[in-house]
Amino acid sequence: MKKETFADKMAKKAFDKPDVRKSWDVHMRAFGPILEPAFANNFQARIHLTAALNHIANKNLAQALMKLKALQKAVVNDADKAALLFCFGLYSETAGSQEQMLAYYTYANQCGHRFYLPYLKVAKFYLSARMCQEAEDNFHKAIECFDNAGLGDADKIILGSAYTNLASCLTMQHRYEEAEEALGNSRTLCPDAPGRAAAEAVLCAVRGDAEKTNAHLEVLRTQGEDVYTAVKTNTDAILNRTDPMFFTVPVDEEKIAFFWQWFAGYEAEMKSLLDREKYDDGLTPVAKQLLAAFPFLEDIPNVGLGRNERGYVVELKDYYAVAIAAAYEKLLAACPADVGERWQFVIAH
C-alpha cells in the first residue's frame, strides 16, 4: 500500500471540511453508485470532482470544464474513468451538446459501472432517434442496476418509467407480448406512473382495441391536453391503419423508376466522394432522393455505409417501420441489373 504523504494528509483534511463534505454528500445522494468507487483514497481528486459538480449544478461551465480536465491525470482504473466520463456527460448535457453527451455517457457505460442514469440517458436518446435495438439494450442495463430486494419509493418510480419506455421500444419493434410484459412490470412497481398511459394507448391501438385505447387516452387527458392530443393523433392513425410504423402505405412506381434514373446519373460522383471519404457529401443526395420517392417518410432518412470485398454497401435504415421496409423492398426489386453489379443495397434497422 502506498505510504500516505503530507500532501495526502492535507488533502484529506481539506476534503473533511464541512462545506466540501456537505457538497460531496449531496452529489453522493444523486450519483452515489458511480461516485463512491471513484478516486478511492485520492482526496485531492475528490475535491476537484466535487468542485466540478458544483460548477455544473450552478452552470459555471468554464470552471467545471477546467476542473474536469485537471482530473484526467488522476484516473488510474475503470471506476475513476467511469465517474469522470459521466461528469463530462453531465457537463455536455448542461451545455446543450446532445452529441457530446451521448458520446461521454456511452464511454462511461463501457466501463461497466452500476449506475442507472447514464444508461437511461443513452436509452432515451436512442429511442427518440428510433434506434430501437440500441435503446432496448440500454434500458435493460439501466434496469439491471437496481436490486429488486431493496427498492425505495424513488427507485420504483424510476424503474416504472424505465419499463414503460422499454415497452414503447418493444412496441416499435413489433414485439407486442414483450411490450405488455414490460408494462405489467411497470404497473407492479409504480401503479400511478403518469407517462405509462401513452405507451398503453399505443399498444392497445396496434392491437385494434379502440375501447381500451380511448380509456388510456382519457387518463392522459387528465395529465395535460398537449400530451393527450399528440398521443391521440398517433393512435387515430394506428386505428385507421395509416401509421407507417405499423402498416404499409401506397408508393408511386413512377417515383421509384425516377430514383434509379437519377442514381444512374449520380453514381460516378457518389463513388468519387466516397473514395475521398466524403461520406456525408456522397450519401446526403441519396437520402434526399429517397424522401422525394417516398414522401411519407416526412424527414430525410438515415442512409448508412459499409464496405466488403465487393465494394460499397449502402444501408437503407427502416427504423422497424413496416411501410418503410416495404417501400425499400420495392425499391430494391426495381434496381437495374447493371447498377446492382456495381453497388450493394441492404435494408437494415
Side-chain angles (χ1 to χ4, degrees):
M1 176 183 264
K2 176 189 168 187
K3 185 177 179 181
E4 190 176 43
T5 66
F6 177 75
D8 294 333
K9 293 177 181 178
M10 293 300 294
K12 185 178 186 306
K13 187 175 181 180
F15 183 74
D16 284 334
K17 288 183 177 179
D19 56 337
V20 177
R21 178 63 74 171
K22 182 179 179 181
S23 291
W24 175 257
D25 289 344
V26 168
H27 300 311
M28 278 290 293
R29 285 195 291 273
F31 313 127
I34 203 166
L35 293 187
E36 184 176 16
F39 304 106
N41 299 316
N42 187 339
F43 293 101
Q44 187 62 48
R46 287 193 166 187
I47 289 170
H48 283 301
L49 189 61
T50 302
L53 288 168
N54 288 342
H55 286 312
I56 292 170
N58 293 320
K59 296 184 169 55
N60 299 323
L61 298 182
Q63 296 93 323
L65 184 59
M66 183 173 62
K67 291 291 184 182
L68 292 176
K69 286 183 175 180
L71 274 168
Q72 290 175 316
K73 62 182 181 294
V75 171
V76 297
N77 55 40
D78 281 348
D80 300 344
K81 186 186 296 184
L84 183 56
L85 287 167
F86 169 70
C87 291
F88 269 114
L90 279 178
Y91 162 84
S92 300
E93 186 177 3
T94 305
S97 178
Q98 290 290 301
E99 289 186 5
Q100 279 194 341
M101 177 204 75
L102 178 66
Y104 282 125
Y105 285 152
T106 299
Y107 292 143
N109 294 347
Q110 291 170 358
C111 297
H113 63 81
R114 298 285 298 170
F115 183 40
Y116 77 91
L117 186 59
Y119 294 119
L120 209 54
K121 295 278 189 179
V122 171
K124 289 181 178 180
F125 181 94
Y126 281 132
L127 182 60
S128 68
R130 294 194 173 187
M131 298 174 69
C132 295
Q133 187 58 61
E134 294 86 348
E136 180 189 352
D137 290 345
N138 280 279
F139 279 127
H140 280 302
K141 288 175 181 176
I143 289 167
E144 288 166 4
C145 289
F146 291 88
D147 178 3
N148 289 335
L151 295 176
D153 290 342
D155 295 332
K156 290 178 181 179
I157 292 172
I158 294 166
L159 264 177
S161 174
Y163 273 115
T164 293
N165 281 292
L166 175 61
S168 294
C169 187
L170 293 167
T171 299
M172 290 170 68
Q173 295 177 75
H174 315 289
R175 293 157 59 187
Y176 306 129
E177 294 302 321
E178 292 174 76
E180 181 54 52
E181 182 180 353
L183 287 172
N185 288 334
S186 176
R187 293 185 200 103
T188 299
L189 288 159
C190 188
D192 300 320
R196 190 174 54 242
E200 291 172 320
V202 170
L203 183 57
C204 289
V206 170
R207 288 173 160 170
D209 192 330
E211 183 176 349
K212 286 187 177 179
T213 299
N214 288 330
H216 292 305
L217 287 173
E218 287 306 311
V219 173
L220 280 178
R221 193 197 290 270
T222 67
Q223 297 168 5
E225 196 67 28
D226 290 345
V227 174
Y228 164 81
T229 301
V231 176
K232 188 176 188 306
T233 299
N234 190 13
T235 55
D236 283 351
I238 296 171
L239 290 168
N240 293 330
R241 304 179 68 83
T242 58
D243 188 320
M245 190 73 207
F246 302 100
F247 305 100
T248 59
V249 300
V251 296
D252 188 332
E253 302 288 347
E254 290 185 3
K255 288 183 177 180
I256 290 177
F258 180 81
F259 174 88
W260 290 118
Q261 179 184 347
W262 169 85
F263 188 84
Y266 174 65
E267 61 175 316
E269 179 184 351
M270 177 176 170
K271 185 176 186 307
S272 175
L273 289 166
L274 298 182
D275 287 345
R276 287 179 284 147
E277 299 184 357
K278 295 186 175 182
Y279 303 123
D280 286 344
D281 292 343
L283 294 173
T284 298
V286 176
K288 289 181 177 179
Q289 287 298 322
L290 288 171
L291 179 59
F294 308 118
F296 70 86
L297 295 175
E298 296 184 355
D299 295 314
I300 295 174
N302 187 4
V303 179
L305 185 71
R307 194 162 193 171
N308 59 24
E309 66 280 356
R310 286 182 51 199
Y312 290 112
V313 180
V314 179
E315 298 177 347
L316 307 179
K317 306 287 189 178
D318 68 7
Y319 307 101
Y320 291 90
V322 170
I324 299 176
Y328 283 165
E329 286 172 3
K330 288 188 176 182
L331 181 75
L332 299 193
C335 178
D338 60 325
V339 173
E341 291 175 359
R342 294 186 293 273
W343 296 87
Q344 298 166 77
F345 295 85
V346 296
I347 302 171
H349 299 311

